[in-house]
Amino acid sequence: MTQKIFEEAIKAIVDGDTDRATELARRGLDEGIAPLDLMNSGFIPGINQVGDLFGSGKLFIPGLIKSANAMEKATAVINDAIPREQETVSGKIVIGTVEGDMHDIGKTIVVSLMRANGFEVLDLGRDVPTDRFIEAAEKFNADIIGSSTLLTTTMPMQKELEEELKKAGLKDKYKTIVGGAPVTQRWADRIGADAFAQDAGDGVKKVKQLLAEQR
Ligand code: B1M
């Protein structure tokens, strides 16, 4: 039954069928599938297939947008169902998708999982200019600044953030974490980010490590 829901979720996303994707997200949760399992084995493989179809010229912008809409709605249902820690843990994170990049589905999952783990998170949304990350971190009194990017053309904005923090003398004040499909540990090392996370679960793990180092 679980496997069938995963397969149907993949199909709903590839078909760009928002009603079906939302219904499957609700059904999967009702049947007791853990939110992150539903995401990682159903919906994410679905949107990855869409990406492959788009990348190989078998799907065009309207199809990409339809599938993205279905993914956004299903993600919202699943994010709301992530169980929350009762206690707030100390740790404040400012997070956003870098300037020029409109992709925010993955970043939103990361935000939900961090909140569910008790962190205070300020979500700046997408297309966030570098100076806005820094201003927001100062105002929010953040410990960590997290940035996400899905486009190779906007990856340099993560580098710019590191450079601007250095210029402002704030590099030691904030730990930084980077993520997004094209981002790697190698990239993080190259630009001087403090951590890289592969997915939302890894993001929570790395944030805990960074906070432990900071104290
Ligand atoms: Co776009 N797109 N897209 N797109 N899109 C990609 C990224 C692409 C790889 C597709 C392809 O060609 N195969 C390609 C980029 C190629 C490249 O840069 N080399 C691409 C392109 C080209 C474009 C446009 C330029 C298309 C066009 O207009 N011609 C355009 C750009 C717009 C812009 O940003 N300026 C565009 C637009 C869009 C939509 C708006 C239609 C839509 C986004 C909707 C939205 O986000 N609200 C969209 C989508 C959906 C995709 C794909 C298909 C799926 C992205 C996604 O949501 N993945 C994508 C192909 C792909 O990645 N396979 C593609 C699911 C998500 C859960 O994973 O975001 O990787 P991900 O997040 C993961 C981890 O990376 C990690 O945890 C998350 C959860 O596991 N993570 C973090 C992410 N951020 C993190 C931060 C952290 C820690 C971990 O700490 C801070």
Side-chain angles (χ1 to χ4, degrees):
M1 184 53 96
T2 302
Q3 189 55 37
K4 189 153 187 290
I5 291 205
F6 292 158
E7 281 162 18
E8 287 183 38
I10 293 172
K11 185 172 181 322
I13 296 299
V14 172
D15 291 348
D17 187 339
T18 299
D19 290 346
R20 182 101 185 101
T22 317
E23 186 215 314
L24 284 162
R26 292 207 182 96
R27 183 137 62 86
L29 295 168
D30 287 348
E31 289 183 9
I33 305 176
L36 283 184
D37 290 346
L38 192 51
M39 189 60 86
N40 291 334
S41 301
F43 292 97
I44 292 182
I47 199 73
N48 283 341
Q49 273 191 31
V50 169
D52 291 345
L53 290 168
F54 179 72
S56 59
K58 292 183 187 130
L59 183 85
F60 303 98
I61 295 282
L64 177 66
I65 292 173
K66 255 180 100 185
S67 291
N69 287 341
M71 183 72 185
E72 283 171 18
K73 295 288 177 329
T75 303
V77 171
I78 295 172
N79 278 343
D80 283 349
I82 296 176
R84 284 176 187 261
E85 291 280 337
Q86 294 309 309
E87 308 263 318
T88 303
V89 291
S90 61
K92 288 177 142 195
I93 305 150
V94 161
I95 190 165
T97 300
V98 301
E99 186 167 21
D101 191 340
M102 302 300 164
H103 297 85
D104 66 354
I105 293 169
K107 182 267 301 160
T108 305
I109 298 171
V110 172
V111 168
S112 296
L113 199 65
M114 286 185 179
R115 285 188 178 142
N117 276 270
F119 296 110
E120 278 183 75
V121 184
L122 177 63
D123 183 356
L124 301 175
R126 52 191 177 182
D127 192 18
V128 181
T130 301
D131 54 359
R132 170 120 173 74
F133 277 101
I134 298 175
E135 277 163 28
E138 289 283 278
K139 277 201 193 128
F140 189 57
N141 201 15
D143 302 292
I144 296 176
I145 304 177
S147 64
S148 177
T149 185
L150 267 283
L151 297 171
T152 44
T153 48
T154 51
M155 284 172 74
M157 302 313 289
Q158 292 183 324
K159 183 164 180 259
E160 185 181 275
L161 177 60
E162 298 298 329
E163 289 165 355
E164 290 302 315
L165 282 170
K166 268 188 215 134
K167 266 194 223 156
L170 295 169
K171 180 60 192 150
D172 291 335
K173 186 171 176 189
Y174 302 109
K175 294 282 182 187
T176 54
I177 178 165
V178 290
V183 177
T184 57
Q185 181 64 56
R186 201 162 161 221
W187 171 249
D189 293 341
R190 209 174 113 193
I191 65 174
D194 297 297
F196 155 72
Q198 185 74 47
D199 56 28
D202 192 30
V204 169
K205 194 174 113 196
K206 297 286 170 59
V207 158
K208 285 182 179 165
Q209 284 170 2
L210 290 176
L211 289 168
E213 281 167 24
Q214 225 169 15
R215 290 180 177 140

